[in-house]
Amino acid sequence: AQRVTQPEKLLSVFKGAPVELKCNYSYSGSPELFWYVQYSRQRLQLLLRHISRESIKGFTADLNKGETSFHLKKPFAQEEDSAMYYCALINTNAGKSTFGDGTTLTVKP
Amino acid sequence: DAGVTQSPTHLIKTRGQQVTLRCSPKSGHDTVSWYQQALGQGPQFIFQYYEEEERQRGNFPDRFSGHQFPNYSSELNVNALLLGDSALYLCASSSPVTYGYTFGSGTRLTVV
């Protein structure tokens, strides 16, 4: 069975501070992990995918297979980063996906 | 490109009734996945359709069924509605060459 855990429901930081949103997963095969973001009154949108090893809007995420984690990080948070963030494990070949329950990030001025 | 479009936006149904939700995928996408999102929770996978077949299914009862049409659009049907079926229903589309899904805005279903 595949499972995604986001241990923090709420996370609050000040502008300019580093931020880390935690994601842990349980999966027996090679995971395909993603971060999705939902800004206020907008639809869910893809932020990052582990396979690309990219940096989007200053965010990065590294897959740690040993710790089964895929934490999302940004060195200097901005107020516009305030949003709901979801970690997702998507088995593209099988067609099944599992989302965490999300972390609400608030960046205070 | 309108992206993924879902209809209707909101719906109120009575317990025991049946409901049909609709989804048009993003242009170029041929795979549609459906999710149920209850308040305070992440999207829960219902099923995925590809080539007009149900490819994979989550832990949802048979009251939840779907269909995909030749133009890749999809429907989600829920029979014998329960109060607990009240949620936001999300549709996401993808293709074999894309990583990650494109989501619609969802249909808010309220069962009274």
Side-chain angles (χ1 to χ4, degrees):
Chain A
Q2 56 190 66
R3 188 165 59 198
V4 174
T5 304
Q6 293 179 250
E8 303 139 330
K9 272 275 190 202
L10 302 170
L11 185 61
S12 182
V13 301
F14 284 101
K15 177 183 173 182
V19 63
E20 180 180 66
L21 293 89
K22 292 183 168 55
C23 172
N24 292 94
Y25 68 91
S26 174
Y27 185 62
S28 57
S30 292
E32 297 168 65
L33 287 154
F34 301 78
W35 277 99
Y36 281 82
V37 61
Q38 187 168 29
Y39 300 103
S40 180
R41 301 183 192 282
Q42 295 186 26
R43 61 184 67 186
L44 267 171
Q45 56 186 277
L46 178 65
L47 178 63
L48 277 180
R49 44 195 179 185
H50 92 272
I51 196 169
S52 302
R53 300 185 64 82
E54 57 204 342
S55 174
I56 303 293
K57 299 184 179 182
F59 284 97
T60 58
D62 289 320
L63 176 61
N64 187 323
K65 291 186 178 181
E67 295 184 358
T68 59
S69 68
F70 188 56
H71 302 328
L72 184 68
K73 301 176 184 178
K74 185 169 183 177
F76 308 103
Q78 302 299 314
E79 289 181 68
E80 55 265 31
D81 297 328
S82 295
M84 175 73 90
Y85 291 81
Y86 293 96
C87 181
L89 194 163
I90 299 177
N91 186 330
T92 304
N93 288 335
K96 187 173 181 181
S97 51
T98 303
F99 280 72
D101 283 336
T103 297
T104 301
L105 173 65
T106 301
V107 181
K108 297 180 285 188
Chain B
D1 181 12
V4 178
T5 57
Q6 292 187 243
S7 62
T9 307
H10 297 85
L11 203 50
I12 299 176
K13 289 287 189 177
T14 304
R15 190 172 48 183
Q17 284 188 315
Q18 179 263 344
V19 69
T20 298
L21 311 180
R22 294 177 176 81
C23 171
S24 292
K26 179 178 178 178
S27 178
H29 287 184
D30 57 8
T31 304
V32 173
S33 303
W34 285 94
Y35 298 84
Q36 180 193 68
Q37 186 174 22
L39 208 58
Q41 295 183 17
Q44 300 294 310
F45 175 71
I46 302 176
F47 41 53
Q48 184 182 82
Y49 275 84
Y50 173 66
E51 293 188 337
E52 302 180 48
E53 297 280 338
E54 183 182 289
R55 185 184 182 203
Q56 185 66 257
R57 190 179 183 92
N59 295 325
F60 280 80
D62 292 344
R63 298 187 297 109
F64 289 77
S65 63
H67 189 76
Q68 186 178 34
F69 299 93
N71 66 352
Y72 309 123
S73 66
S74 177
E75 289 182 349
L76 164 64
N77 301 291
V78 187
N79 294 322
L81 284 166
L82 304 173
L83 297 179
D85 294 332
S86 295
L88 180 67
Y89 288 84
L90 295 169
C91 169
S93 71
S94 60
S95 78
V97 297
T98 63
Y99 272 99
Y101 297 163
T102 301
F103 280 84
S105 298
T107 294
R108 174 72 61 185
L109 172 66
T110 302
V111 182
V112 297

